[in-house]
Amino acid sequence: MKLTLSGMKDRAAWEAAGIKLPEYDIEQVAKNTRENPIWVHFGAGNIFRIFVGGLADTLLNAGELDRGITCVETFDFDVVDKIYDPYDNLVLAVTLNADATIDKKVLGSLTEAIKAQSADAEAWARLKKIFSNPELQMVSYTITEKGYALSGANGEFFPFIKADIENGPQKATSAMAVTCALLLERFNTCKAPLAVVSMDNCSHNGEKLRNSVLTMAKEWEKRGFVPQAFVDYVSDEAQVSFPWSMIDKITPRPADSVCQELKKLGCEDMDPVITSKRTYIAPFVNAEAPQYLVIEDRFPNGRPALEKAGVYMTDRDTVNCTERMKVTTCLNPLHTSMAVYGCLLGYNLICEEMKDEEIVKLIRRLGYVEGLPVVVDPKILSPKAFIDEVVEKRLPNPFMPDAPQRIATDTSQKVGIRFGETIKSYVAEGRDLSELKAISLAIAGWMRYLLGVGDDGKEMEISADPMKDELQAKLAGIEVGKPETYKGQLREILSNKVIFGSDLCEIGMADMIEQMFVEELAGIGAVRATLKKYLA
C-alpha cells in the first residue's frame, strides 16, 4: 500500500489494515483549494500535519469545509521535496494511546505544498496569487518561537533580517519578511481583511507575530519600499488581526517502532528522512491523543467552523490565561525540568523517567506544590485536572517515544516563561521564595546539564540552544567531581533578566540555586543525591 492518491484506490486493503481513509473526495477538495484558498499555513512540520491538518480533516469529513489547507514551508525546503510531493501531500496520522491501542488514519486536508522562496519565480507568483484572493480568511503558523525573532539579545537585527530589510519585499527570505511581503501583495490587489494566527507554543504568540510583521513593514516604509498606507493597513486589527492562541499536543519525532508496525501492515516507503537542515520527518506522524487549541475569535474575513473540530474559540484574556496555565505551571515547567534531569540521569524516553521516584517527586512538587498556588485559572479548563492528566496519563504513556533530549532544545529561550513567571508571582504576592525548591533544582540542573557531563561522569551531548556557547563560556573552569572549581561563575547568568525574567541574585534565589549546583558537582551520583536531599 502506497501513501499516494493512486495507492489509496484499493480502499479495502487500507481498511483491512485498520487505517481509516478520508470520506471526502481528496482531489476535488484540492481543486477547490487551489482555485479559491481560504486557509494558508506556514510551517509544514509534524504538529501542523497531525493536529492542524487533523482539524481540517475533521471539518471536511463532517461537511463543514469544502477546502483544505495550503501549506507553506519557510525553513526546510527538503520537507516539500521529500515528504509532501512524493506522497501527494497525504499524511498518515498515528495516535498513540496510553492503553496501548493505536489509531491510524490518512489525512487528505493538506492540498498544496509551496516553498516560501522569493527567488523561485513560480512559487513566489503562486503565493502572491493566493494572498491576492479576497476570500482568503486566515494564515496560521507553526514555525517555532525562533521564527518570529528579528534580533538577538543585544537588540541588533540578525544579519539575515538586515538583508531582508535592505533588499525589500521582492527579495524576502525570512518567514516574517515573506509574510509582510505577501500582506503587501494583498494590500496592493484587494485590501481585503485577513486573520494572521500564530499557533506556536509561546507566550503572547499573536503579539510576537504582529510586532515582527509591523517592524518589517515600518523598516521597509523608512526605505521607501512600501507606503505609509500599507503600514496603516497592517496596523489596523479590523483589517489584519493577529489572534492569540494556546496549543498543546505532544508530537515527538517519528518512532522506528511505529515505522516497523506500519510496514508490517503493508504500508510502503514509510522510512523517516533526515533533511539537510536536520529535520527528522516521515510520511507518518505519531503523537499522543490529548490535544488543546484555544484561539482568540478575531477573524475579520470569516473563518472555518473550528469549534466543531474541538477548538476553543474565545476572547484574548481567556487565551492568555489558558496559555499561562499551561506554559508557566501545568505542563511546560514539568517538561523542561524532566528534560535536563532526564539527560543527566541517562534517560532517552520521557515515559521511562516517569518510573524514577526522584523525577516524579520533582515534577509533582513543581506543579502541585509550587505552581498551583499562583496558577492563572482560565475557567474553560481546570488547572488541577490538566496537571492530573499530564502526570497520570500523558507523561507516563509508554507508547509515546518522546525524548528528554528533544525537549531540552532551546532551554535558554524557555526558562523565563516556564519558571520565571511563577517566580514573579511569588515576589508580587510576598511569598517565601525558599519554598521554590523544585524550580531552584530545575535551574541548578540546567546549569549542571550545560557542563556536558552526565551523573555517571561520562560526556553527554547537549541539545541545540542559541545561547549554548555563550552560557558554556561563562561556566568555564567548573569541573564535575571538583566542587572547589566553582568560583561564582553562575552569578552572571542568574542575574540575567533576559533569561529568567528577574534578577535571581537581586531577589534572593541565587544562593539556593548555587548551593544545589555545587552539590551536584560533587562526583558520580551527586545529581541524584541532590534530588533526594531536597525532595525528601
Side-chain angles (χ1 to χ4, degrees):
M1 300 183 299
K2 288 185 178 290
L3 185 63
T4 60
L5 290 172
S6 60
M8 288 202 308
K9 287 180 179 175
D10 183 3
R11 293 185 68 94
W14 289 88
E15 289 165 1
I19 301 172
K20 293 181 180 178
L21 299 182
E23 297 169 17
Y24 48 89
D25 185 332
I26 298 172
E27 292 178 85
Q28 184 60 51
V29 166
K31 181 174 182 292
N32 295 346
T33 309
R34 289 192 182 94
E35 290 176 354
N36 199 14
I38 59 168
W39 185 353
V40 173
H41 186 91
F42 282 74
N46 287 330
I47 192 168
F48 159 66
R49 294 162 71 208
I50 195 168
F51 191 174
V52 184
L55 297 175
D57 180 77
T58 297
L59 294 176
L60 285 163
N61 275 324
E64 295 289 344
L65 202 58
D66 65 353
R67 282 161 283 183
I69 305 175
T70 302
C71 315
V72 181
E73 178 53 39
T74 61
F75 173 71
D76 193 339
F77 302 131
D78 283 353
V79 169
V80 174
D81 294 331
K82 296 181 178 181
I83 293 298
Y84 279 78
D85 289 350
Y87 299 92
D88 293 333
N89 303 323
L90 300 170
V91 182
L92 182 45
V94 180
T95 301
L96 307 172
N97 300 309
D99 64 359
T101 59
I102 299 178
D103 297 326
K104 302 172 290 294
K105 66 188 298 189
V106 172
L107 309 180
S109 55
L110 311 183
T111 56
E112 185 177 10
I114 308 168
K115 300 173 186 177
Q117 288 182 298
S118 58
D120 182 328
E122 184 179 352
W124 197 236
R126 177 60 184 149
L127 285 170
K128 283 186 170 184
K129 184 178 181 182
I130 291 167
F131 272 74
S132 64
N133 174 25
E135 292 193 32
L136 182 66
Q137 296 178 333
M138 66 181 291
V139 184
S140 51
Y141 294 76
T142 50
I143 58 175
T144 76
E145 187 167 3
K146 290 184 291 186
Y148 308 108
L150 303 185
S151 56
N154 59 5
E156 294 184 8
F157 289 125
F158 294 123
F160 66 94
I161 295 296
K162 283 182 183 177
D164 276 338
I165 289 170
E166 298 300 334
N167 293 335
Q170 298 313 313
K171 295 182 180 179
T173 59
S174 67
M176 294 299 93
V178 166
T179 296
C180 197
L182 293 172
L183 288 173
L184 175 64
E185 183 68 17
R186 190 168 182 82
F187 170 79
N188 287 334
T189 54
C190 65
K191 291 187 175 65
L194 189 66
V196 185
V197 191
S198 171
M199 294 181 179
D200 271 300
N201 182 21
C202 57
S203 181
H204 297 185
N205 50 18
E207 183 177 42
K208 284 183 168 63
L209 175 53
R210 183 174 190 266
N211 288 343
S212 294
V213 171
L214 276 174
T215 297
M216 189 64 62
K218 290 174 182 177
E219 292 295 330
W220 281 344
E221 191 276 330
K222 290 177 189 176
R223 290 158 179 77
F225 288 120
V226 304
Q228 179 62 42
F230 170 64
V231 178
D232 295 340
Y233 168 73
V234 177
S235 301
D236 182 1
E237 289 213 62
Q239 289 294 311
V240 182
S241 69
F242 293 84
W244 295 16
S245 73
M246 187 284 283
I247 192 168
D248 181 31
K249 186 178 181 73
I250 299 173
T251 309
R253 63 163 45 179
D256 183 63
S257 58
V258 174
C259 180
Q260 297 309 316
E261 176 65 22
L262 294 173
K263 285 181 179 180
K264 286 179 186 177
L265 293 173
C267 298
E268 302 174 41
D269 303 325
M270 287 288 111
D271 290 310
V273 299
I274 301 176
T275 69
S276 59
K277 292 198 173 177
R278 310 302 298 168
T279 301
Y280 197 92
I281 197 164
F284 65 92
V285 182
N286 44 234
E288 64 174 350
Q291 60 183 36
Y292 300 90
L293 182 57
V294 185
I295 303 178
E296 178 187 2
D297 200 356
R298 294 187 69 184
F299 289 76
N301 206 31
R303 62 170 175 78
L306 296 168
E307 66 279 3
K308 294 185 178 179
V311 179
Y312 295 87
M313 304 303 299
T314 184
D315 57 77
R316 179 171 293 187
D317 285 344
T318 302
V319 173
N320 189 37
C321 290
T322 309
E323 186 268 336
R324 282 177 60 84
M325 177 201 76
K326 185 197 83 135
V327 175
T328 71
T329 307
C330 297
L331 174 59
N332 298 54
L334 282 60
H335 243 170
T336 292
S337 59
M338 290 184 78
V340 295
Y341 278 106
C343 293
L344 285 167
L345 296 175
Y347 289 103
N348 293 307
L349 288 172
I350 289 293
C351 58
E352 289 300 315
E353 287 191 66
M354 290 303 291
K355 300 174 185 175
D356 187 299
E357 184 179 354
E358 278 72 52
I359 288 177
V360 172
K361 281 184 178 180
L362 174 67
I363 65 168
R364 281 186 167 275
R365 178 176 178 88
L366 194 58
Y368 291 111
V369 179
E370 298 179 13
L372 276 184
V374 294
V375 71
V376 175
D377 187 349
K379 306 302 181 186
I380 60 170
L381 295 170
S382 159
K384 183 179 181 303
F386 196 95
I387 297 183
D388 289 345
E389 183 182 54
V390 167
V391 173
E392 295 169 13
K393 296 179 181 178
R394 297 175 68 180
L395 296 178
N397 184 344
F399 305 98
M400 276 289 292
D402 207 3
Q405 291 77 12
R406 179 187 79 87
I407 296 163
T409 302
D410 301 334
T411 298
S412 69
Q413 308 301 295
K414 301 170 180 175
V415 290
I417 297 296
R418 300 187 178 192
F419 305 126
E421 291 302 309
T422 294
I423 292 170
K424 286 179 186 176
S425 295
Y426 269 65
V427 171
E429 296 181 14
R431 291 175 177 266
D432 184 358
L433 291 172
S434 67
E435 290 298 310
L436 296 180
K437 291 180 182 177
I439 287 181
S440 296
L441 280 168
I443 295 171
W446 176 41
M447 296 292 100
R448 172 66 179 77
Y449 161 85
L450 286 169
L451 299 179
V453 179
D455 200 30
D456 59 2
K458 298 177 183 177
E459 286 189 18
M460 65 179 191
E461 186 176 349
I462 304 299
S463 299
D465 189 306
M467 294 188 71
K468 173 183 169 184
D469 293 343
E470 177 184 343
L471 292 171
Q472 288 186 318
K474 294 182 188 302
L475 298 173
I478 302 174
E479 294 183 43
V480 174
K482 297 181 179 179
E484 66 274 12
T485 58
Y486 180 69
K487 307 291 184 183
Q489 292 96 323
L490 259 61
R491 286 271 158 176
E492 187 179 350
I493 299 173
L494 298 178
S495 62
N496 191 327
K497 292 183 180 180
V498 175
I499 297 176
F500 296 104
S502 302
D503 180 335
L504 303 186
C505 298
E506 187 179 276
I507 64 173
M509 279 192 70
D511 289 348
M512 181 159 58
I513 294 169
E514 281 185 298
Q515 182 177 334
M516 292 170 170
F517 175 76
V518 171
E519 290 178 27
E520 291 184 346
L521 287 177
I524 293 174
V527 171
R528 184 171 293 282
T530 304
L531 286 174
K532 284 184 176 180
K533 173 182 174 180
Y534 289 97
L535 295 170

